[in-house]
């Protein structure tokens, strides 16, 4: 019998798990548009290395329970984000390695996800693995991207420079007082 061909963008997850199948590949980072939107403007996603990923499905049969559909997802990406200290691009390595259990309904997924350390999702008719991988990479993004040590020192306005700026600008209340006295400003 000829093995089934699985397509990551329209994956029949139940059959994928029953067959114990695996898929892997690479996608250009720019094709993951939501991830690319987080990039630094100076370093577009077209310049990032390709996103590598792999999927493996399996059926687990717990004692005294129904068969369970599981998916192992692994993905690696290198992205350039904006450092929140110096506002320059900072490269971040993202890595995801996760097992996800799939159940029949959304309600069952919500109940099990709340009570379990495992990630639990409702089993779709067809899974878009590209979307799931992108979701997991987005969750792996750092909350505050920043360099360990910024490559350029931050520009601070020294106190003398700030005082000079204040002297150049006339005090609006002094102008108002001069107008009230009948003089010109």
């Amino acid at each position: 019998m000829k093995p089934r061909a699985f397509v990551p963008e329209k994956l029949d997850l139940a059959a994928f798990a029953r067959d114990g199948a695996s898929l892997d590949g690479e996608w250009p980072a720019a094709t993951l548009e939501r991830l690319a939107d987080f990039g630094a403007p100076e370093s577009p996603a077209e310049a990032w290395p390709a996103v590598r990923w792999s999927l493996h499905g399996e059926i687990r049969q717990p004692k005294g329970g129904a068969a369970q559909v599981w998916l192992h997802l692994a993905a690696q990406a290198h992205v350039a984000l904006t450092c929140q200290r110096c506002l320059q691009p900072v490269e971040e390595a993202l890595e995801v390695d996760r097992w996800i259990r799939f159940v029949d309904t959304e309600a069952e997924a919500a109940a099990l996800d709340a009570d379990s350390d495992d990630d639990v999702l409702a089993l779709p008719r067809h899974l878009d693995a590209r979307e799931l991988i992108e979701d997991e990479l987005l969750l792996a993004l750092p909350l505050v991207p920043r360099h360990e040590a910024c490559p350029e020192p931050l520009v601070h306005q020294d106190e003398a420079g700030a005082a000079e700026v204040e002297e150049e600008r006339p005090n609006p209340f002094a102008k108002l007082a001069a107008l009230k006295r009948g003089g010109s400003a």
Side-chain angles (χ1 to χ4, degrees), residues 80-127:
L81 306 173
T82 301
C83 174
Q84 296 302 298
R85 280 188 237 167
C86 68
L87 302 179
Q88 298 298 314
V90 57
E91 288 191 26
E92 294 283 350
L94 305 178
E95 190 156 337
V96 175
D97 189 359
R98 181 160 292 128
W99 280 96
I100 303 169
R101 178 180 171 196
F102 287 87
V103 294
D104 293 330
T105 65
E106 289 285 342
E108 186 180 357
L112 288 172
D113 197 33
D115 296 337
S116 173
D117 290 337
D118 298 321
D119 292 325
V120 182
L121 297 174
L123 184 65
R125 178 160 167 73
H126 295 287
L127 175 74

Side-chain angles (χ1 to χ4, degrees), residues 26-30 44-52 76-80 91-92:
E26 290 185 351
W27 292 316
E46 289 82 14
W48 300 351
V51 174
R52 294 187 349 236
Q76 299 85 33
H78 289 276
V79 298
E91 288 191 26
E92 294 283 350

Side-chain angles (χ1 to χ4, degrees), residues 11-98:
L11 189 60
D12 180 350
L13 197 52
F16 187 73
R18 263 194 314 275
D19 290 357
S22 294
L23 285 174
D24 60 30
E26 290 185 351
W27 292 316
T31 63
L32 302 177
E33 294 174 6
R34 292 179 297 147
L35 183 63
D37 285 345
F38 278 89
E42 304 85 1
S43 182
E46 289 82 14
W48 300 351
V51 174
R52 294 187 349 236
W53 57 271
S54 67
L55 302 171
H56 175 73
E58 71 179 48
I59 298 289
R60 295 184 186 170
Q61 186 69 48
K63 290 184 180 179
Q68 300 173 346
V69 175
W70 285 83
L71 178 71
H72 180 249
L73 179 151
Q76 299 85 33
H78 289 276
V79 298
L81 306 173
T82 301
C83 174
Q84 296 302 298
R85 280 188 237 167
C86 68
L87 302 179
Q88 298 298 314
V90 57
E91 288 191 26
E92 294 283 350
L94 305 178
E95 190 156 337
V96 175
D97 189 359
R98 181 160 292 128

